Amino acid sequence: MRHAIRPTGGNVVGIVPPARPPATDGQGPRHVRGGAAPSRAGVLGEVRGHLAGGGGALLVGPTGIGKSTLVSALADEYAAAGHRVFACCPAETERHLPFLGLIDLVAQGADEVVERLPEPERRALRSALLLHDVPIGERDLLCLRLAVLHALRLLCADRPGLVLVDDAQWLDKPTGELLAFVARRAGRLSPPLRMVASVRASFGDPRGTGGQWREAAGLCPAPVLTVKVPPMSAAELAALLADRFGRSWPRAQLARIHRVSDGNPFFAVELARSVVESGAWEEGGPRSGGWEERGRRSGGWEEHGPRGGALPIPQSLSVLIQKRVGALPRGTRETLLMASAASRPSVELLRRAGGADLAEAERHGIVDVTAGGQIRFTHPLLSAVIYAEAEAVERKAAHAALSQAVRDPVERALHLAKLTSGRDRRIAGTLEDAAAVARRRGGLSTAAHLGELAAEHTPESERDAEVGRRLRAAEDAVAAGDYALARRLAHLVLETTARPADRVRAWMVVMDSSGQALAEVEEVFPRAMEDAQGEPALLAPLHYRLSWRAWMVLGSAEAALEHARRSAELAAVAGDRVTELLALTKQANIEFFLGRPDAEQTLRRALADPQEPQVMWHHNGPIYLKHRHHLLHDRLDEARAELRTLIYGVRQRGVVESLCLSQFCMSQVEIHRGRCRQALSLARQSLDLAEDSGLSQGPSWYALALAEAAGGDLDRALAAAEQALQHSESDGDLLFLPRALHAEAQVRLQFGDAAGAVRILDRVRRMENGQGLGDPAVRRWHADLADALAGVGRTREAVDVLAEARAQASRLGRRGVLAVLERSSALVRAAEGDLDVALDGLVRAAEQLQALPYRLEEGRAWLELGTLRARMGEAGEARADLLRARTVFARAQARPWLNRVQADLRALDDGGPGRGEPGGRLAGADPLAVLTDIERKVAVLVAEGATNREIASRLFLSVKTVEAALTRTFRKLGVRSRVDVARVAVSGR
């Protein structure tokens, strides 16, 4: 047993950190940054929201899913918020001990109230709590029920109460009857008593459709919310295992643990422990150390079945499952083994393989059979244990039967490989052919595994064939995103061959498998160049990769351009059209970044025939760059059409990274077009794919930050931007780092943190200008920097930033950028106090953006125009402009921007146009609302009597900046002296 009456505060160790519970007045739950990961937070939020409106909640889930952790989190949250928490966790061995649950619930608090109860109730309660030895008779049961209800009412008279029963299926029957009695009357208590119970669904019945959960629902007051606790997400599981074992886990291993455990945290921890104890754990990922160290490690343990070796199943789980399976007939167990060994088990396949009927296994909840005859294990761990615990001879028999029954060449090859332990030319050829079939189908992960098996079965006398098969498998692994496997295979090649061409291919696998983290394989480049021995065919792809290194690691676009040009020239000499197209695309991309006029011509060369299919559907190919070219010229529909075609092609025959980055780019296009919901969906898909495949996550987090800032939640947007920054810095990716910083700055601007945005965007400007940025349409941070500078009073710097960007945009014909710069220029003039000039500028900006496809930018222009007109006392015109902005943002489902417009409209409706107030302020509004952040701070310090020099010292500004801010403050407030400023500031407090 645990937890009687919980004291306020306290800690419950678990995967869900404490968060603030909702108010008890019926309001919804509050978003808490830094709380639990989405699925767990979703459960807690749903329960909190329901409890706030009254009633009870029932958490349902299988063993180990995390119900107890959620219950403990609720206990801590509500105790910390001042609730009196009553909690117990009965055990199976104690379910026949009467009133033990009641003792754990109320024993510690009974001393406070027992003497205040009427004598019959007091006697009955003391007897149930074993405070004296008089047994409870039949006549005392009603008194006991009334006593418990009365005691709870007294204990919760000064603060609300929460009853928590964990593992309610083991609660003793007398206590259960008492709680059911209380539950039916809990709503009449003042304040009402809230109750939450958790109950275990049977293993193999994770949906909670059976067992004793219906009885447990009676422990909660109506209405009862039943919540099925979901499995952990991969991200939650990664955090849990890192915390539990004090180490980061390779993504490939995490993916396998997540898949086999089905997200069950208890099973996942046990599987992870077995990996550590077996010595199969590896430090994975591109940032764990040098390439040689990583290459020597194996890919860790593989899951069971034909795709890998035996899974080290811990005994704690194996015994649990074998107990269930062992009760089945022998024929059923043999058929289940065949089902666990098959890639896609079905009734028809098992019938052809000589299997028995699985009706008995279905009745025991081990498998489900769909209407189409497909067989699915109710939990992946069942399949894993059945396969892992079978004898070797039994597994071979299953694979032999399946190899004769399957009709797919890839599956047949997988089963044949399991039947042959040594080197065999025929088996190796069969596996190689099957890998080619898998590759044509787009199953690159399967192709990589089959290629590895083909190399292992190749006779030692055919060393060149073995190396070739291993290299092709490594390249397939890179395309599939299995970087640990790719590096391991490349290292084996480097250890076994001296041929320059093979060695250079292996080096390139090491480079390509590092993702964005090229800085981690810095030592590889000179060794690869040495092995190339001056051969154009080998140097061309190396110079292409050196171009990426120069830009991403060294931060030099000029050096990257030279390597790209050299690569294209060498590839043309060698007749390597694939590398030539990639190099030309890279060259055009850099030329666009630098603002070079010859970029258009280079892109046309890259798009010219003949094309290569593997380049057409690649994220570094000319089709991908073509959509970005459309964006430079404000052709959003064309950009979207190119990306849709690209995504379709990539799904058919491309690589994982290309799909991930195509989704990332499509998300940004949808933001520009004002389709925020679609942008959020695409950004999340991109991030899921990056996490699942072990790709660098910086771009996907960046996309999610922009999408959340446009159409989601600003807290989540800031958290995503911080993740993008962390990943980019960890990867040493100087190419993407400025974009991650810009995303954070954009969110901070939306929060009103102009000073924080300036600090970040100053760094972005230094980095981008240092790299040679010459086209403001490639990196659109200039207007945001100017807005932030104006917000902190550095208007002269803002003017300079805008002038430089405007000159570049005008030279290159970037209409969309010029329209946004027009809006920003108007805001700078408004910050300087030239409201009429600012008004004209915002009108022009709104009209220009209305004619362009950037819907969110248009909405922002109407918003700023309405805000300015409100400041100038033009309430009618302000309302019209704000309504226009609201229409744009509502259609775009741009929630953060819509919330801001709604707030401005409410302020306008509440105040109306000011009469006789300085600066045309709205009546009842904050008199300092017309000031920027820095001007407001200056005004407040003036009101406190500080001198300009003292203000400059406290705000870390120059005296001239303070004087300029004070001058603008005089103009905006319509006052003439520091005394007037102090009077206005004090009136606003």
Side-chain angles (χ1 to χ4, degrees), residues 451-574:
E452 180 185 18
L453 289 173
E456 291 173 355
H457 284 81
T458 302
E460 293 183 1
S461 60
E462 300 176 11
R463 182 54 59 90
D464 289 348
E466 178 183 352
V467 169
R469 286 164 176 165
R470 190 164 280 132
L471 277 172
R472 189 57 194 264
E475 291 162 350
D476 286 336
V478 170
D482 192 344
Y483 294 154
L485 174 60
R487 285 190 295 269
R488 178 165 60 83
L489 294 174
H491 176 74
L492 288 173
V493 169
L494 290 167
E495 284 184 340
T496 56
T497 185
R499 291 180 59 191
D502 291 338
R503 292 184 63 80
V504 170
R505 280 179 69 187
W507 289 123
M508 289 191 296
V509 166
V510 175
M511 297 173 193
D512 295 347
S513 64
S514 68
Q516 303 292 109
L518 280 174
E520 296 292 337
V521 291
E522 186 75 9
E523 72 275 18
V524 165
F525 289 93
R527 300 175 73 172
M529 292 294 286
E530 181 182 348
D531 280 334
Q533 298 180 356
E535 286 291 327
L538 301 180
L539 288 173
L542 287 178
H543 274 286
Y544 172 70
R545 287 161 176 80
L546 283 167
S547 176
W548 279 104
R549 169 182 170 271
W551 203 358
M552 294 173 61
V553 179
L554 306 180
S556 174
E558 290 287 356
L561 181 59
E562 287 306 311
H563 280 297
R565 285 174 177 162
R566 183 63 176 151
S567 175
E569 293 167 357
L570 289 166
V573 170

Side-chain angles (χ1 to χ4, degrees), residues 884-907:
R884 276 181 155 177
R886 185 175 71 177
T887 299
V888 172
F889 291 141
R891 287 175 179 169
Q893 295 181 301
R895 288 174 51 199
W897 293 106
L898 189 59
N899 291 340
R900 180 173 161 185
V901 173
Q902 298 281 37
D904 284 1
L905 282 168
R906 285 194 296 270

